[in-house]
Amino acid sequence: QVQLVESGGGSVQAGGSLRLSCAPSGYSSRRNCISWFRQVSGKEREGIAAMQIISGGVYYADSVKGRFTISQDRFKNTVYLQMNSLKPEDTAMYYCAATTVCAGRWPLAANFDDWGQGTQVTVSS
């Protein structure tokens, strides 16, 4: 089983930036697609960005396109989510998740096999 550890959440004012990190531990073909999801209490988990690790292909939800960037550092075995121009509506718990392949699976949370514990992002107006 792949373990995922997120970090980098916090509180920021609108217009600010944060960078989240996701560090999967252990090799598994189940972690070839790494995605970021977010969830507000009482709402469904929303897929916002994903990366196919080998090809580098990326996917974004319309709600974050142009503001968020997903990237990877192969040497550090870490996937990042750079979040710029943050808005109060970006406030949520952010999760890192892994599955075998992004195409056909992202952005449905049910298709992802392994999850991190989440990191809170709060954006104040």
Side-chain angles (χ1 to χ4, degrees):
Q1 185 176 0
V2 175
Q3 292 184 337
L4 305 170
V5 180
E6 303 102 333
S7 61
S11 298
V12 65
Q13 289 189 329
S17 299
L18 286 172
R19 189 178 76 163
L20 306 183
S21 300
C22 173
S25 63
Y27 174 79
S28 170
S29 62
R30 285 165 48 167
R31 55 140 294 201
N32 283 341
C33 171
I34 302 294
S35 177
W36 289 96
F37 288 79
R38 66 186 181 186
Q39 189 171 27
V40 176
S41 180
K43 293 188 177 181
E44 290 187 359
R45 205 163 282 192
E46 175 192 14
I48 55 173
M51 171 172 277
Q52 192 67 43
I53 295 301
I54 295 177
S55 69
V58 296
Y59 305 79
Y60 293 101
D62 288 342
S63 58
V64 304
K65 199 172 293 182
R67 300 188 298 122
F68 292 9
T69 303
I70 189 169
S71 63
Q72 63 174 321
D73 183 326
R74 295 178 187 267
F75 182 75
K76 294 183 178 179
N77 194 32
T78 299
V79 173
Y80 300 99
L81 184 68
Q82 178 67 43
M83 305 186 295
N84 298 329
S85 302
L86 283 162
K87 304 175 182 179
E89 51 263 44
D90 294 318
T91 295
M93 185 69 79
Y94 283 69
Y95 298 90
C96 173
T99 190
T100 54
V101 59
C102 295
R105 289 179 171 259
W106 190 82
L108 297 179
N111 291 335
F112 281 73
D113 307 298
D114 299 292
W115 293 83
Q117 80 287 353
T119 184
Q120 178 68 36
V121 171
T122 302
V123 184
S124 58
S125 57

